[in-house]
């Protein structure tokens, strides 16, 4: 069986360096918010091209705390793509604000900028863009709308470490961005982790307090904060893996290029790279669309290829969001009904990619 994702193989590439990093933390005697977190924050901010990085416990907290730091809550509306992973929407709900769903573009799977303006009301405070599957959202028109209506632009960059739009990296395209270092992400820890990036000095300072009980200074609490800190051990591991992120993303691009050039089956709709994004897509996932997906998935499995669906149920059809039960988002529904992700990773062997292409073409 060709596994969908071989995390063990990914991490064992850097075994020795990771062991050195873990030993360094063990011997430091300092396990929370120490040198490793501070150094990783500096290195990741520099990598993304922003002034500040604030390490937090996971990607959902990163997004939730950004919204909280801006003070958006009950009565406020935040625009978000209808086909995103549920965490982007949960971050809005967690603050008591209202998520306002906007349909994606059927070819890129990212939010369709031309459908945003009709959803803006006087309660709209922000647009939460998601760089889904590793491709940056179409930022120029989004930033223009945000400027016109004085809205914040928050990036969900959990699938887009290293992605580029124009000459800037994901994480530096809006007012603030949330990253996840969940093990399967392009930059993955050996456990949970997350970060916020921003150029906003004031926001960064507030977030540093919010993640740590609302305290800048021990036992002085300016805000009712939370405990959501990036772990010192995970930060040490992420520092190792950050050095190889561009190389790992390049390997993903090679696999994607091979699939795009060689999969030839009219039943299989290939992903589309928005023009200008050619070098910047980081292929967190390689998502194709097929009618009768269950049959296709079964066929691949019978031929030794493991696949995963990202994602089978649209957020507005989830039990957790019963209030949207009667809403219809036909493009998002079509996407959720037909998407299926083929294996892609920095350690997927070319022979495996070749086999996958052969099997897909024979379907
Ligand atoms: C993974 C992911 C998140 C959440 O990250 P966690 O670290 O698992 O909390 C948020 N948004 C998107 C798009 C993701 O893929």
């Amino acid at each position: 069986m060709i596994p969908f994702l071989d995390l063990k193989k990914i991490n064992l590439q850097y075994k020795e360096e990771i062991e050195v990093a873990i030993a360094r933390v063990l011997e430091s005697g300092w396990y929370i918010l120490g040198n490793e977190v501070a150094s990783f924050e500096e290195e990741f901010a520099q990598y993304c091209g922003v002034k500040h990085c604030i390490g937090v416990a996971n990607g959902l907290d990163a997004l939730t705390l950004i919204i909280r730091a801006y003070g958006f809550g009950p009565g406020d509306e935040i625009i978000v793509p209808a086909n995103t992973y549920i965490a982007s929407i949960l971050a809005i709900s967690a603050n008591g604000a209202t998520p306002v769903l906007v349909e994606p573009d059927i070819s890129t799977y990212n939010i369709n900028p031309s459908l945003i303006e009709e959803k803006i009301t006087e309660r709209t405070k922000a647009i939460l863009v998601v760089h889904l599957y590793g491709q940056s959202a179409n930022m120029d028109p989004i930033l223009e709308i945000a400027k016109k209506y004085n809205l914040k632009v928050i990036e969900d960059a959990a699938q887009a470490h290293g992605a580029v739009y124009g000459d800037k990296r994901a994480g530096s395209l809006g007012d603030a961005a949330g990253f996840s270092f969940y093990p399967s992400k392009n930059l993955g820890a050996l456990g949970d982790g997350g970060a916020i990036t921003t150029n906003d000095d004031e926001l960064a300072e507030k977030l540093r307090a919010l993640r740590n009980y609302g305290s800048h200074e021990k036992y002085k609490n300016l805000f009712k904060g939370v405990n959501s800190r990036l772990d010192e051990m995970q930060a040490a591991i992420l520092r190792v893996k950050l050095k190889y992120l561009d190389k790992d993303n390049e390997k993903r691009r090679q696999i994607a290029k091979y699939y795009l050039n060689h999969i030839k089956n009219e039943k299989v709709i290939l992903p589309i790279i928005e023009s200008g994004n050619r070098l910047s897509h980081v292929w967190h996932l390689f998502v194709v669309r097929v009618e009768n997906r269950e049959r296709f998935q079964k066929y691949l499995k019978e031929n030794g290829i493991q696949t995963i669906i990202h994602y089978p149920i649209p957020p507005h059809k989830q039990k957790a969001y019963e209030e949207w039960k009667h809403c219809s988002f036909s493009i998002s529904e079509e996407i959720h009904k037909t998407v299926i992700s083929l294996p892609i990773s920095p350690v997927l062997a070319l022979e495996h990619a070749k086999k996958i292409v052969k099997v897909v073409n024979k379907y």
Side-chain angles (χ1 to χ4, degrees), residues 231-253:
D231 195 85
E232 190 72 356
M233 191 87 79
Q234 299 303 342
I237 294 162
L238 288 166
R239 290 182 70 198
V240 172
K241 292 187 72 180
L242 177 59
K243 291 189 294 178
Y244 302 104
L245 177 59
D246 284 341
K247 178 181 77 88
D248 281 349
N249 281 341
E250 189 48 42
K251 287 195 185 153
R252 288 174 184 272
R253 268 185 215 114

Short mmCIF file of all heavy atoms in Angstrom, two decimals, residues 231-253:
data_model
loop_
_atom_site.label_atom_id
_atom_site.label_comp_id
_atom_site.label_asym_id
_atom_site.label_seq_id
_atom_site.Cartn_x
_atom_site.Cartn_y
_atom_site.Cartn_z
N ASP A 231 5.12 25.02 22.70
CA ASP A 231 5.97 24.26 23.59
C ASP A 231 7.45 24.45 23.24
O ASP A 231 7.82 24.47 22.07
CB ASP A 231 5.59 22.78 23.43
CG ASP A 231 6.12 21.94 24.53
OD1 ASP A 231 5.46 21.88 25.57
OD2 ASP A 231 7.21 21.37 24.35
N GLU A 232 8.29 24.55 24.24
CA GLU A 232 9.73 24.75 24.04
C GLU A 232 10.34 23.60 23.21
O GLU A 232 11.14 23.81 22.31
CB GLU A 232 10.39 24.84 25.42
CG GLU A 232 11.83 25.27 25.44
CD GLU A 232 12.06 26.75 25.12
OE1 GLU A 232 11.10 27.48 24.81
OE2 GLU A 232 13.23 27.15 25.16
N MET A 233 9.89 22.37 23.51
CA MET A 233 10.41 21.20 22.79
C MET A 233 9.98 21.24 21.31
O MET A 233 10.79 20.98 20.42
CB MET A 233 9.83 19.93 23.45
CG MET A 233 10.45 18.66 22.99
SD MET A 233 11.90 18.28 23.96
CE MET A 233 11.16 17.61 25.44
N GLN A 234 8.72 21.57 21.07
CA GLN A 234 8.25 21.64 19.69
C GLN A 234 8.96 22.77 18.94
O GLN A 234 9.30 22.63 17.76
CB GLN A 234 6.73 21.85 19.63
CG GLN A 234 5.91 20.74 20.28
CD GLN A 234 6.17 19.36 19.69
OE1 GLN A 234 6.71 19.22 18.59
NE2 GLN A 234 5.82 18.32 20.43
N ALA A 235 9.22 23.88 19.62
CA ALA A 235 9.91 25.00 18.98
C ALA A 235 11.31 24.57 18.54
O ALA A 235 11.77 24.90 17.44
CB ALA A 235 9.99 26.20 19.92
N ALA A 236 11.99 23.79 19.40
CA ALA A 236 13.35 23.33 19.07
C ALA A 236 13.31 22.43 17.83
O ALA A 236 14.18 22.52 16.95
CB ALA A 236 13.95 22.58 20.26
N ILE A 237 12.28 21.58 17.75
CA ILE A 237 12.13 20.68 16.59
C ILE A 237 11.78 21.48 15.33
O ILE A 237 12.32 21.24 14.25
CB ILE A 237 11.07 19.60 16.90
CG1 ILE A 237 11.57 18.68 18.03
CG2 ILE A 237 10.71 18.79 15.65
CD1 ILE A 237 10.49 17.87 18.72
N LEU A 238 10.89 22.45 15.49
CA LEU A 238 10.49 23.28 14.35
C LEU A 238 11.67 24.09 13.80
O LEU A 238 11.74 24.34 12.60
CB LEU A 238 9.34 24.22 14.75
CG LEU A 238 7.99 23.52 14.95
CD1 LEU A 238 7.00 24.45 15.66
CD2 LEU A 238 7.41 23.05 13.61
N ARG A 239 12.59 24.48 14.66
CA ARG A 239 13.77 25.23 14.19
C ARG A 239 14.59 24.36 13.24
O ARG A 239 15.14 24.85 12.26
CB ARG A 239 14.65 25.66 15.37
CG ARG A 239 14.01 26.74 16.22
CD ARG A 239 14.94 27.17 17.34
NE ARG A 239 16.09 27.90 16.83
CZ ARG A 239 17.20 28.10 17.51
NH1 ARG A 239 17.33 27.59 18.73
NH2 ARG A 239 18.17 28.81 16.98
N VAL A 240 14.68 23.06 13.55
CA VAL A 240 15.38 22.14 12.64
C VAL A 240 14.63 22.07 11.32
O VAL A 240 15.20 22.24 10.24
CB VAL A 240 15.47 20.72 13.26
CG1 VAL A 240 16.03 19.74 12.24
CG2 VAL A 240 16.32 20.74 14.54
N LYS A 241 13.31 21.83 11.39
CA LYS A 241 12.55 21.56 10.17
C LYS A 241 12.35 22.81 9.30
O LYS A 241 12.24 22.69 8.08
CB LYS A 241 11.22 20.89 10.52
CG LYS A 241 11.44 19.47 11.09
CD LYS A 241 10.16 18.71 11.30
CE LYS A 241 9.51 18.29 9.99
NZ LYS A 241 8.25 17.55 10.23
N LEU A 242 12.35 23.98 9.93
CA LEU A 242 12.21 25.22 9.16
C LEU A 242 13.34 25.38 8.15
O LEU A 242 13.14 25.86 7.03
CB LEU A 242 12.16 26.43 10.11
CG LEU A 242 12.07 27.82 9.46
CD1 LEU A 242 10.82 27.95 8.58
CD2 LEU A 242 12.07 28.93 10.52
N LYS A 243 14.54 24.92 8.53
CA LYS A 243 15.70 25.04 7.63
C LYS A 243 15.48 24.28 6.32
O LYS A 243 16.07 24.59 5.30
CB LYS A 243 16.97 24.49 8.30
CG LYS A 243 17.45 25.35 9.46
CD LYS A 243 18.82 24.89 9.95
CE LYS A 243 18.75 23.51 10.58
NZ LYS A 243 20.01 22.96 11.04
N TYR A 244 14.65 23.23 6.39
CA TYR A 244 14.45 22.38 5.21
C TYR A 244 13.09 22.62 4.54
O TYR A 244 12.74 21.90 3.61
CB TYR A 244 14.58 20.90 5.63
CG TYR A 244 15.92 20.61 6.24
CD1 TYR A 244 16.06 20.46 7.61
CD2 TYR A 244 17.06 20.54 5.44
CE1 TYR A 244 17.32 20.21 8.19
CE2 TYR A 244 18.31 20.29 6.00
CZ TYR A 244 18.43 20.13 7.37
OH TYR A 244 19.65 19.90 7.93
N LEU A 245 12.35 23.61 5.02
CA LEU A 245 10.99 23.81 4.50
C LEU A 245 10.99 24.08 2.99
O LEU A 245 10.21 23.49 2.24
CB LEU A 245 10.29 24.94 5.27
CG LEU A 245 8.89 25.32 4.79
CD1 LEU A 245 7.92 24.14 4.84
CD2 LEU A 245 8.33 26.49 5.63
N ASP A 246 11.87 24.97 2.54
CA ASP A 246 11.88 25.30 1.10
C ASP A 246 12.24 24.08 0.26
O ASP A 246 11.65 23.84 -0.78
CB ASP A 246 12.87 26.43 0.81
CG ASP A 246 12.32 27.79 1.25
OD1 ASP A 246 11.09 27.90 1.42
OD2 ASP A 246 13.11 28.73 1.42
N LYS A 247 13.19 23.30 0.75
CA LYS A 247 13.60 22.08 0.03
C LYS A 247 12.42 21.08 0.01
O LYS A 247 12.13 20.48 -1.02
CB LYS A 247 14.82 21.48 0.74
CG LYS A 247 15.32 20.18 0.14
CD LYS A 247 16.50 19.62 0.91
CE LYS A 247 16.13 18.95 2.20
NZ LYS A 247 15.79 17.60 2.29
N ASP A 248 11.77 20.92 1.15
CA ASP A 248 10.62 20.00 1.22
C ASP A 248 9.48 20.46 0.30
O ASP A 248 8.86 19.65 -0.38
CB ASP A 248 10.10 19.89 2.66
CG ASP A 248 10.95 18.96 3.51
OD1 ASP A 248 11.80 18.24 2.94
OD2 ASP A 248 10.77 18.94 4.75
N ASN A 249 9.23 21.77 0.30
CA ASN A 249 8.17 22.29 -0.58
C ASN A 249 8.53 22.08 -2.05
O ASN A 249 7.67 21.82 -2.88
CB ASN A 249 7.92 23.78 -0.30
CG ASN A 249 7.05 23.99 0.94
OD1 ASN A 249 6.35 23.08 1.40
ND2 ASN A 249 7.09 25.20 1.49
N GLU A 250 9.81 22.21 -2.36
CA GLU A 250 10.25 22.00 -3.75
C GLU A 250 9.99 20.55 -4.18
O GLU A 250 9.57 20.29 -5.30
CB GLU A 250 11.74 22.36 -3.88
CG GLU A 250 12.27 22.39 -5.30
CD GLU A 250 11.39 23.16 -6.29
OE1 GLU A 250 10.89 24.25 -5.92
OE2 GLU A 250 11.18 22.66 -7.41
N LYS A 251 10.19 19.61 -3.25
CA LYS A 251 9.90 18.22 -3.58
C LYS A 251 8.42 18.01 -3.82
O LYS A 251 8.02 17.25 -4.71
CB LYS A 251 10.39 17.29 -2.46
CG LYS A 251 11.90 17.17 -2.45
CD LYS A 251 12.29 15.99 -1.58
CE LYS A 251 13.79 15.90 -1.43
NZ LYS A 251 14.14 15.23 -0.14
N ARG A 252 7.59 18.65 -3.02
CA ARG A 252 6.14 18.57 -3.24
C ARG A 252 5.81 19.11 -4.63
O ARG A 252 4.97 18.55 -5.34
CB ARG A 252 5.38 19.41 -2.20
CG ARG A 252 5.38 18.82 -0.80
CD ARG A 252 4.73 19.81 0.18
NE ARG A 252 4.80 19.33 1.54
CZ ARG A 252 3.88 18.53 2.11
NH1 ARG A 252 2.82 18.16 1.42
NH2 ARG A 252 4.02 18.12 3.34
N ARG A 253 6.46 20.22 -5.01
CA ARG A 253 6.20 20.82 -6.33
C ARG A 253 6.57 19.87 -7.46
O ARG A 253 5.88 19.79 -8.47
CB ARG A 253 7.01 22.11 -6.50
CG ARG A 253 6.26 23.32 -6.07
CD ARG A 253 7.04 24.60 -6.35
NE ARG A 253 6.74 25.50 -5.27
CZ ARG A 253 7.59 25.92 -4.37
NH1 ARG A 253 8.86 25.58 -4.45
NH2 ARG A 253 7.18 26.70 -3.40
#
